Amino acid sequence: MSHFTHMKTRFQNLFYLEKALNRLNIEHKQQEKIIHDSKSSHINLIIPQSNGYDIEFSWNGQEYELVVDMSFWKQPYPIESFIDKIAQQYAGEVVIGESQKIGFQPVKYQQNSDGSNVLVLERWNDEK
């Protein structure tokens, strides 16, 4: 019997979520979900697992929540660590992406052995 757990996240941007997964080398694929009552759709992200019980980041209208059957969790670390690792990368991708929109460029992105990240951005002032 399956018991799916829905874990709330703060992931609201598909582009940055995918970049975070890519940075962590987490294989994933997009899956379009069509909303039957309306003629709209949204994209969910599927993380395949070797046991066939995939992990899903499902759009709930406000954020991507993690949907998983905990009894079939087959990742190399606990779910809390899994979400924390993704959240840390997601935050870095948001900072880089949003900073570039206002003229900053990333100069350095370093992942330290203690799990922390260093991000250095720069912007040149062209006005004299």
Side-chain angles (χ1 to χ4, degrees), residues 7 9 11 66 78-88:
M7 299 185 75
T9 70
F11 309 138
L66 185 67
I79 192 165
E80 294 81 10
S81 298
F82 180 78
I83 291 174
D84 287 346
K85 288 177 186 296
I86 294 171
Q88 185 178 30

Side-chain angles (χ1 to χ4, degrees), residues 19-101:
K19 287 190 74 137
L21 293 174
N22 288 337
R23 189 175 288 275
L24 291 167
N25 295 315
I26 297 174
E27 180 185 336
H28 63 280
K29 59 186 176 186
Q30 290 187 355
Q31 181 181 64
E32 184 176 14
K33 291 282 187 174
I34 298 171
I35 302 168
H36 299 291
D37 296 343
S38 65
K39 293 183 179 167
S40 64
S41 66
H42 60 269
I43 302 293
N44 291 341
L45 294 180
I46 307 298
I47 299 171
Q49 294 196 115
S50 60
N51 61 6
Y53 292 89
D54 298 340
I55 300 167
E56 182 175 353
F57 279 103
S58 178
W59 181 250
N60 68 11
Q62 296 181 322
E63 63 194 8
Y64 284 92
E65 61 186 4
L66 185 67
V67 181
V68 63
D69 187 331
M70 294 301 294
S71 57
F72 295 103
W73 182 258
K74 292 292 181 199
Q75 295 302 306
Y77 25 80
I79 192 165
E80 294 81 10
S81 298
F82 180 78
I83 291 174
D84 287 346
K85 288 177 186 296
I86 294 171
Q88 185 178 30
Q89 296 304 318
Y90 179 87
E93 294 301 334
V94 169
V95 169
I96 292 170
E98 296 303 307
S99 297
Q100 286 179 322
K101 290 178 183 177

Side-chain angles (χ1 to χ4, degrees), residues 99-118:
S99 297
Q100 286 179 322
K101 290 178 183 177
I102 57 172
F104 285 89
Q105 292 300 316
V107 175
K108 176 181 174 185
Y109 192 101
Q110 174 183 320
Q111 295 178 328
N112 298 323
S113 58
D114 67 357
S116 65
N117 292 331
V118 174

